[in-house]
């Protein structure tokens, strides 16, 4: 993190064929969706190359701007960046179209400059981990927390949407931070309190 000026536009990811990407280089999605960053600019603006990667169109998903991307989601990102200014943390950001065993309809949008249909996520989430290491660098303890949001507008605090990493694993079917020692992982992934995570 740093204070490098925000770049002026978006670009295609040079490692993926442009035919497999949506043209969001000049303008955003239709239907009032913003180009929602998965990795935020402010988490990478201390290194110009890494910052520019956050403006690859592959780092974008359709996101409600008012009341979500520019509201509760941004406040969560800022809070996590505040913790990361003090200590190292690990963050996984993702989207989901349904929870396990749930059937949700799938909605699509398009970009203003492209005809490709883009699925709109029904959920957004983050899982976050802190670790304590010994002198050799081995992890001896850890704690984590998750956040799960239905894709809609909000006017309350992100803290209300804290859940355990275990819960998000159940909903998504993914196993996060699986390289941790089993006992450490078990304890770390049970916490569902932002305040406890922050104070740890």
């Amino acid at each position: 993190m740093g204070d490098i000026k925000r770049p002026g536009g978006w670009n295609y990811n040079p490692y993926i064929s442009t035919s497999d990407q949506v043209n969001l280089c000049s303008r955003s999605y239709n239907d009032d969706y913003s180009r929602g960053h998965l990795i935020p600019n402010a988490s990478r603006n201390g290194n110009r190359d890494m910052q520019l990667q956050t403006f690859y169109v592959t780092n974008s998903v359709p996101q409600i701007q008012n009341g979500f991307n520019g509201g509760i989601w941004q406040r969560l990102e800022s809070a996590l960046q505040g913790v990361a200014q003090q200590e190292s943390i690990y963050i996984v950001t993702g989207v989901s179209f349904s929870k396990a065993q749930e059937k949700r309809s799938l909605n699509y949008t398009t970009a203003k400059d492209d005809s490709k249909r883009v699925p709109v996520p029904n959920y957004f989430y983050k899982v976050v981990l802190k670790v304590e290491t010994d002198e050799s660098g081995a992890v001896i303890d850890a704690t984590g927390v998750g956040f799960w949001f239905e894709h809609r507008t909000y006017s309350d605090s992100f803290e209300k949407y804290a859940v355990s990493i275990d819960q998000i694993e159940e909903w998504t079917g993914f196993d996060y931070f699986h390289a941790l020692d089993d006992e450490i992982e078990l304890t770390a992934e049970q916490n569902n309190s932002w305040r406890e995570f922050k104070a740890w």
Side-chain angles (χ1 to χ4, degrees):
M1 295 181 292
D3 57 5
I4 299 173
K5 186 178 177 182
R6 186 182 179 99
W10 292 68
N11 291 286
Y12 288 115
N13 185 327
Y15 302 104
I16 299 174
S17 170
T18 56
S19 65
D20 293 326
Q21 300 182 66
V22 179
N23 183 1
L24 298 163
C25 298
S26 298
R27 297 193 295 168
S28 189
Y29 299 97
N30 286 307
D31 306 311
D32 296 323
Y33 291 115
S34 63
R35 293 173 287 196
H37 284 77
L38 293 173
I39 300 174
N41 165 64
S43 292
R44 295 290 185 268
N45 61 356
N47 178 298
R48 187 62 170 174
D49 289 338
M50 293 176 73
Q51 180 190 39
L52 291 173
Q53 291 170 0
T54 71
F55 286 89
Y56 288 167
V57 298
T58 49
N59 188 46
S60 164
V61 290
Q63 202 171 52
I64 295 169
Q65 179 58 31
N66 296 327
F68 193 81
N69 185 40
I72 197 168
W73 189 252
Q74 184 180 48
R75 291 191 294 275
L76 172 57
E77 289 175 335
S78 295
L80 291 171
Q81 288 155 6
V83 174
Q85 288 174 342
Q86 308 300 320
E87 57 191 315
S88 294
I89 59 175
Y90 302 87
I91 304 171
V92 178
T93 301
V95 303
S96 182
F97 300 100
S98 64
K99 296 177 182 177
Q101 312 305 318
E102 176 190 53
K103 292 187 177 180
R104 289 285 303 260
S105 60
L106 197 56
N107 296 312
Y108 291 85
T109 190
T110 54
K112 289 181 168 65
D113 297 320
D114 204 325
S115 61
K116 296 184 187 77
R117 294 198 323 150
V118 180
V120 179
N122 286 320
Y123 302 103
F124 285 81
Y125 67 88
K126 289 183 184 287
V127 294
V128 192
L129 182 75
K130 287 186 197 180
V131 300
E132 179 184 350
T133 58
D134 62 18
E135 292 179 359
S136 70
V139 175
I140 57 174
D141 202 0
T143 192
V145 69
F147 295 90
W148 184 272
F149 301 94
E150 188 171 354
H151 191 194
R152 60 175 177 84
T153 59
Y154 293 83
S155 59
D156 50 0
S157 170
F158 65 82
E159 291 185 43
K160 290 179 61 175
Y161 303 93
V163 297
S164 69
I165 295 173
D166 280 339
Q167 179 65 80
I168 295 179
E169 288 181 334
E170 182 180 327
W171 284 335
T172 63
F174 294 128
D175 182 11
Y176 303 100
F177 311 125
H178 59 86
L180 289 172
D181 175 84
D182 287 345
E183 287 189 18
I184 294 174
E185 181 183 6
L186 180 66
T187 302
E189 294 187 350
Q190 290 178 345
N191 176 53
N192 62 3
S193 166
W194 164 248
R195 294 188 182 188
E196 289 185 21
F197 172 83
K198 193 175 176 184
W200 188 81

